[in-house]
Amino acid sequence: MTRRWMFPSACVVAAALVTGLAGCAHHHPATPAAGPAVSIVEPADGATVSSPFKLRFGVQGLAVAPAGDVVALSGHHHLLINVGPLPAGTSVPFTEQHLHFGKGQTETEVTLPPGTYKLTAQFANGAHQSYGPALSQTITVTVK
């Protein structure tokens, strides 16, 4: 599997705010009162895509920050391919099915062979420890 890394724009948020974030990270469509949320903004659930395809993560109520320091209400994205969400506190493995975006990236290009895939966005802290299923989203895509 080949992947291209897309570095974040100027919207990497360095600090968590207790009141929530209005930063420029892509937002989950839930209402602000819904609390922290993680999503896959693009592609849409059920989409048929050509490889490589653009994948954008969304986050609400959390700061996106590079791996390293463990800071409350912050972390970074992981893309799990054909793997469901990880329990809270579980370290995200470093495998071809567990892609890490430890520089704070919010989008990437993913290259997969034709087939149907379950893609899970999993948010984790600076030590790559999962925030659990509550801060994940799983979609299905078909690569033609």
Side-chain angles (χ1 to χ4, degrees):
M1 160 177 27
T2 305
R3 54 194 155 132
R4 292 187 198 139
W5 297 100
M6 300 295 290
F7 292 95
S9 63
C11 67
V12 173
V13 180
L17 301 174
V18 175
T19 59
L21 297 175
C24 62
H26 302 289
H27 294 283
H28 187 275
T31 62
V38 172
S39 63
I40 296 175
V41 176
E42 181 183 355
D45 188 22
T48 298
V49 297
S50 297
S51 193
F53 60 93
K54 184 177 184 176
L55 186 134
R56 289 189 311 139
F57 296 104
V59 65
Q60 172 186 305
L62 299 161
V64 176
D69 295 333
V70 175
V71 177
L73 300 176
S74 76
H76 60 279
H77 296 286
H78 297 81
L79 178 63
L80 313 183
I81 301 171
N82 290 333
V83 177
L86 299 173
T90 303
S91 293
V92 179
F94 284 86
T95 72
E96 287 190 1
Q97 288 183 282
H98 300 84
L99 308 182
H100 291 248
F101 298 89
K103 293 181 181 177
Q105 303 97 312
T106 59
E107 61 183 54
T108 190
E109 284 194 0
V110 179
T111 301
L112 293 169
T116 299
Y117 296 89
K118 179 172 66 169
L119 303 178
T120 300
Q122 178 71 70
F123 208 66
N125 68 19
H128 304 280
Q129 296 166 326
S130 168
Y131 280 113
L135 291 180
S136 72
Q137 182 193 26
T138 300
I139 66 167
T140 300
V141 298
T142 300
V143 178
K144 60 181 177 178

